[in-house]
Amino acid sequence: MSPTPTPFQPSTGLPGLDAVLSGVAPGDNIVWQVQSLDEYLALVAPYAQAAQRQRRRLIYFRFAAHAPLLDGDSGAEIHHPCAADGFDAFVDQVHSVIEAAGPRTLYVFDCLSELAEAWQSDRMMGNFFRLTCPRLFDLDTVTYFGVYRNTHARSGMDMIGETTQYLLDVFRCRERLYIRPIKVQHRSAAVMNRIHAWEPGDRFSAVTDSGTVAEILAGSGWPGLEDPPFVGHWQRHFATARTHVTMRRAGHPNPQGEAASFDRLSRLLFPDDPAMRRLIDTYLTLEDVLAVRDRMIGIGTIGGKALGMLLARAILRRDAPDLHDRLEAHDSFYVGTEVFDTFFVQNGLWWVRRRQRQRDTFLQELDQAHERILCGSFPESTLRQFEGMLDYFGEWPFIVRSSSRLEDRYGNAFAGQYDSVFCVNQGPRERRLDELLDAVRQVYASTLSEQALRYRERRGLLEENEQMALLIMRVSGTAGKRHLHPHAAGVGLSVNPYPWNPRIDMRAGVVRLVAGLGTRAVDRADDDYTRLVALNAPELRPETSFGAIARHSQRRMDALDLETNQVVSGPFVELVRDQPDFPLELFTTRDRPDGPPFLTFDGLIGQTHFVADLRTLLATLHAAYRNPVETEFALNVAAQGTYRINLLQCRPMQVRNVDGGATAAPPDDAPRLLAAQGAVIGPSRVIHPDRIVRVSAAAYARLPQADRVAVARVVGRINEASRGRTLLMLGPGRWGSSDPSLGVPVRFADINHVAALCEIVAMHEHLVPDVSLGTHFINELIEADMLYFALFPKRTDNYIDDPALTDRPNRLTTLVPDTDRWNETIHVTDWPPGVLTLYADAEGQRVVVTATDAQR
């Protein structure tokens, strides 16, 4: 039976020092600033001996490369958290030990400076302390920390000084140790900044003669008055890299040194992804890395979206130099992930965010977290850098774009999951700064949105350390008297997943083109249209007459309103009325000289090199990525029809197969339950549905808006109840529309177990050729390898056997209780295995569903 511990009376183990400090109390965190490890070790040893005498539990966190502070004979439990695992993992490893140990435990940490080295960030060292110190205080522990003096940037040391109860300097002079308290929270302030000598017999006495004080401080390594007095890890590494570049330009290259600098710095700046690493090493240069650092706010990685944009430009620079020379120059800024981490630590949000990585709690506390994020504050050093960026942009608008660690990687595009926010950036500097900070907070808040968290859950990424960097880009465009926007913008895919005509080559790529801001190319917010251009046959259109072309042309355009300081949507003809230089002759077509113009882009497509340039651009990026890619771009036309393309984004696109896939032709004599022709997304395949969900167009059209949203939630419950089933879902209009008048407003999480999704184009007679092609919602379907197809009831080659779907018993209320009121709107039928067969032919753009005669 072990002896009962003595009452908890913590001590430094040095009675004279206890007296100087007015005692050590439960909850005290004591940080020793030292010049060498021996100085810290001299203080740790008596502290551990006192713990052993009092039979107190002592835990030693051993993580540094320096010599151990305590061994097995010290009575300490030794734990080995690994700083190389990253900040998140290290915090979890340490805190799991702390929580298990409980109250009134004593702790010793290795020198914290080694954490700054491991993470290449003084601020992240400070963030660790700010997360750990309060919890140790709450548990009435006493803890020793060491940190090297005059080594770290102020941003890291300020966090430690503000959070700890004790901060003390340790000096060595003439083989004697001296202690100077810098902070003694809630204790006698009389000892502050007085130097005390460690005398024989463990006594401490104040140093009162100026000669001794001067000698001690003169040998303390004081850095002097230069601002900044010393540089952090990042600054030192980048300074070394700049030296290598300067020497090369002077004719004295050091290839090995340059390679080592590039490897080190690129791993600091860019997310750790082996597939992207190949592109980084192949296409980026040391000068590229230095250019990023020059335009960076904070430190950390710059995220996947920023990396994709930089890589795309670098790929074109090497592999298509003529096209690269015609790109619009970019002058983006990058906000590193350390700013995000520090924001969450500083505003007390870290542990809330941490719980969002656990399956049983990931949707809890979201509303409260969003409120706190939107009111959060930033460190002064970050605010100064934001102000510097505003001074650079002046009053030109910019957009704050998400660029998270996991975004735009192979296999996980995160398309549309996080926010991007336009800042029109007009008015007094203070107002523009407030607008910028609100935009940053909004993007940060989107990392804890239910949509983004469910996306991560579906892809097995919930437990990944997701950090948000930001890409802040100048808005590409031309300013009129009131509005600013690019002449055109769009999305380009290097593989066309929806060839609506047999002449279309899927490998030639496709562009979704709009006038104005590109927001209409990626998100559908109203009942308007875009121009879909198959790059091997750009003259092809789904429509066959000019009347149909006119009906299905873009009518509304998005722009920035420089007077009202907001993004606006309005009729195209009105928004360009004050822009005499707008290239109407390239963008519009009339059926007669005195007729109204319609946005067809026929001149741009037929009279310029635009199609050839986009095809070259997409093919070059596809070849470099060794994978289909998706890009976003803006386009501005200059005099004589010349133009510049601004490449805004590039990410891998997930396409399983463009070679036809499985044989997808049904037997000629097989009875048809459904036939669709004209819009198929996804590789060819044969599947066997055993459950069909049909949302009735007629019943849905009679519902008020609120009930239509309720229908979407019921569909989500059916989807969840259909795990393990092969589910075919049919509904009117655009699945995933944000406007319930255009279709069922499901989130992707409401349909993520669906094998095949059909949009029945029956909301109204004009909603025909465009459906949802090219939007972020469709990108999610492609990533999930889900089949999408549209059925056009008024076309002779489209057919649906309604009685076969509605005569069978409706299983809605059996699957989802308390849904009786939706029996007329939603019909769910189950089918025996093997009875139904769906044949999807991507090349022929056909889908046929057959059923055996006995089951029709």
Side-chain angles (χ1 to χ4, degrees), residues 301-313:
T301 77
I302 64 170
K305 187 175 292 180
L307 173 60
M309 183 270 295
L310 291 170
L311 280 173
R313 288 175 171 271

Side-chain angles (χ1 to χ4, degrees), residues 201-217:
D202 293 337
R203 293 184 304 106
F204 283 79
S205 60
V207 177
T208 57
D209 67 287
S210 62
T212 302
V213 171
E215 185 177 6
I216 292 168
L217 294 181

Side-chain angles (χ1 to χ4, degrees), residues 209 312 409 423 426 439 487 499 618 635 657 662 729 767 775 794:
D209 67 287
R409 299 171 68 169
C423 291
Q426 306 294 296
H487 291 133
L618 292 169
L635 181 141
N657 182 4
M729 193 171 283
L767 189 59
T775 64
K794 293 188 176 182

Side-chain angles (χ1 to χ4, degrees), residues 415 495 518 688 694 742:
V495 166
H688 298 282
R694 169 80 183 274
L742 301 181

Side-chain angles (χ1 to χ4, degrees), residues 258-293:
E258 284 198 49
S261 282
F262 178 82
D263 184 69
R264 179 187 299 113
L265 298 183
S266 64
R267 292 181 187 279
L268 291 177
L269 283 175
F270 306 132
D272 183 18
D273 179 8
M276 300 302 284
R277 171 55 50 185
R278 175 185 64 81
L279 293 169
I280 292 167
D281 291 342
T282 303
Y283 289 99
L284 294 182
T285 68
L286 189 56
E287 284 88 346
D288 292 328
V289 172
L290 292 173
V292 170
R293 181 66 184 120

Side-chain angles (χ1 to χ4, degrees), residues 349-565:
L349 286 154
W350 179 270
W351 298 113
V352 176
R353 174 173 165 251
R354 183 63 186 84
R355 287 190 285 276
Q356 262 66 66
R357 290 168 54 187
Q358 301 168 9
R359 288 186 175 275
D360 56 344
T361 60
F362 79 101
L363 294 180
Q364 296 178 10
E365 304 178 80
L366 295 187
D367 290 342
Q368 302 94 309
H370 288 169
E371 290 178 8
R372 291 171 66 183
I373 291 170
L374 296 178
C375 297
S377 62
F378 295 86
E380 283 297 322
S381 57
T382 301
L383 292 176
R384 288 194 296 270
Q385 289 186 298
F386 278 139
E387 290 169 349
M389 185 195 74
L390 284 180
D391 292 341
Y392 173 86
F393 279 133
E395 291 191 53
W396 193 274
F398 55 83
I399 181 171
V400 179
R401 308 188 73 188
S402 68
S403 181
S404 84
R405 173 177 169 266
L406 299 177
E407 258 184 296
D408 289 8
R409 299 171 68 169
Y410 286 84
N412 299 296
F414 278 78
Q417 301 304 315
Y418 298 135
D419 289 350
S420 291
V421 183
F422 284 102
C423 291
V424 186
N425 193 34
Q426 306 294 296
R429 187 171 185 253
E430 294 77 11
R431 187 175 78 189
R432 293 186 287 119
L433 178 61
D434 288 342
E435 179 185 3
L436 165 62
L437 297 181
D438 285 343
V440 172
R441 294 183 187 105
Q442 181 177 332
V443 179
Y444 283 177
S446 70
T447 64
L448 296 186
S449 71
E450 180 176 350
Q451 171 181 297
L453 290 168
R454 287 194 180 278
Y455 179 95
R456 289 173 56 191
E457 182 199 25
R458 289 194 305 273
R459 301 200 154 271
L461 299 172
L462 204 56
E463 296 182 3
E464 287 272 346
N465 175 29
E466 173 67 311
Q467 298 167 292
M468 180 58 73
L470 302 172
L471 172 61
I472 302 182
M473 307 183 79
R474 181 189 298 277
V475 174
S476 176
T478 303
K481 294 179 181 177
R482 177 167 180 171
H483 298 108
L484 184 145
H485 55 82
H487 291 133
V491 173
L493 309 179
S494 66
V495 166
N496 188 345
Y498 25 82
W500 65 87
N501 186 295
R503 288 177 51 199
I504 293 173
D505 179 1
M506 297 177 71
R507 298 163 192 79
V510 64
V511 168
R512 181 181 176 87
L513 194 60
V514 298
L517 294 174
T519 44
R520 288 179 172 264
V522 296
D523 292 302
R524 304 304 307 280
D526 57 23
D527 190 6
D528 204 3
Y529 299 94
T530 64
R531 177 70 194 268
L532 209 62
V533 183
L535 293 180
N536 77 300
E539 74 285 357
L540 287 179
R541 299 190 61 132
E543 307 85 4
T544 56
S545 67
F546 188 81
I549 290 172
R551 284 198 305 273
H552 303 123
S553 65
Q554 178 186 352
R555 285 177 165 77
R556 298 179 66 80
M557 186 177 80
D558 294 347
L560 300 181
D561 190 320
L562 302 179
E563 292 185 9
T564 63
N565 226 31

Side-chain angles (χ1 to χ4, degrees), residues 50-71:
Q52 198 167 27
R53 286 195 303 270
Q54 294 182 3
R55 300 184 179 89
R56 304 306 312 181
R57 186 176 184 184
L58 175 63
I59 291 176
Y60 169 36
F61 285 113
R62 174 78 176 121
F63 52 82
H66 62 58
L69 302 172
L70 297 171
D71 57 26

